Amino acid sequence: MTAAVEKTDLPAIEAEGWSAEEVLAWGFDRFHPHLALASAFGAEGMVLIDIASRLRPDFRLFTLDTGFFFPETYELMERVEERYGVAIERCRPALSPHEQARAHGEALWSRHPDRCCEIRKVLPLRSKLAELDAWVTAIRREQSPARASTAKIEWDAKFGLVKLNPIADWTWQEVWQYIRTHRVPYNPLHDRRYPSIGCTHCTRPVDGGEYSRAGRWAGFAKLECGLHDRAPGTANGG
Ligand code: SF4
């Protein structure tokens, strides 16, 4: 971290009435260039990228490239770089897929998805966040029960920095309205019943009525990668 950021500095309560643009603008004013958007290029992430590009063309964007994204996701990443003129910071795991298989056995995701996510997402994220004072996510409250109490600006106690969730209160319909109005590029898998898109091994299409993240880690009682856990006994996510 590069600046003294105190949890008590956060305008957490006022921010609940702010628009996504206002939350992001506050973050850029306070933290740029030590603030970055995290994205796996789902519909919500694309909305945030578009809003950020209008506020701050030199915004920073990173992804946790597990090596297991869908081809459609990698293609979308190229389109994002072209359209928004941003160089995506690709955070890769210490182990290649082959090295992981040698060290932990084949298809770790099918036996111990938490361990696989730890290696391929959580550890690379921890390393990236150590460079930053604030990060921005596209999580929304209605995505899953664990996300229902997400604040728009909060202290991330797990990783020790400020976390902005500018579209926490948006609905799935609002996300798509924005995408259509602003002609934002999106992952074509969304048109094939994949509301939430992660690694190929752990993502399936969902049926109507399921939570949008129900298609992640089918067969396991797992809806999160370990990136957005809250420290127990802490208010406001921190
Ligand atoms: S989503 Fe699946 S394949 Fe991707 S890191 Fe997590 S367990 Fe591994």
Side-chain angles (χ1 to χ4, degrees), residues 15 26 45 47-48 54 63 70-71 111 113 121 136 163 183 195 198:
W26 178 86
V47 166
L48 267 191
R54 293 163 194 271
T63 194
F70 287 86
R111 293 174 288 111
K121 294 184 175 181
V136 185
K163 184 177 182 182
R183 298 179 182 277

Side-chain angles (χ1 to χ4, degrees), residues 156-178:
D156 185 339
K158 180 170 181 174
F159 295 109
L161 77 172
V162 175
K163 184 177 182 182
L164 309 185
N165 308 299
I167 60 167
D169 58 347
W170 284 37
T171 63
W172 186 232
Q173 288 71 26
E174 287 172 314
V175 168
W176 282 96
Q177 190 176 356
Y178 184 98

Side-chain angles (χ1 to χ4, degrees), residues 41-71:
F41 308 97
E44 293 93 341
M46 292 307 305
V47 166
L48 267 191
I49 289 167
D50 194 81
I51 296 173
S53 73
R54 293 163 194 271
L55 292 170
R56 183 105 220 176
D58 60 343
F59 71 104
R60 289 180 63 185
L61 172 63
F62 73 90
T63 194
L64 304 173
D65 184 354
T66 62
F68 297 139
F69 286 171
F70 287 86

Side-chain angles (χ1 to χ4, degrees), residues 66-69 100 108-110 112-122 198-203 216-217 222 224-225:
T66 62
F68 297 139
F69 286 171
Q100 178 170 302
L108 182 61
W109 52 86
S110 68
H112 301 292
D114 285 343
R115 182 72 189 125
C116 186
C117 278
E118 179 79 12
I119 294 168
R120 311 204 76 74
K121 294 184 175 181
V122 179
C199 296
T200 53
H201 304 303
C202 303
T203 310
R216 307 288 291 276
W217 303 284
K222 173 175 169 72
E224 297 290 345
C225 312

Side-chain angles (χ1 to χ4, degrees), residues 14-28:
E14 310 93 274
E16 287 309 304
W18 293 357
S19 67
E21 286 84 355
E22 288 170 325
V23 173
L24 267 175
W26 178 86
F28 284 134

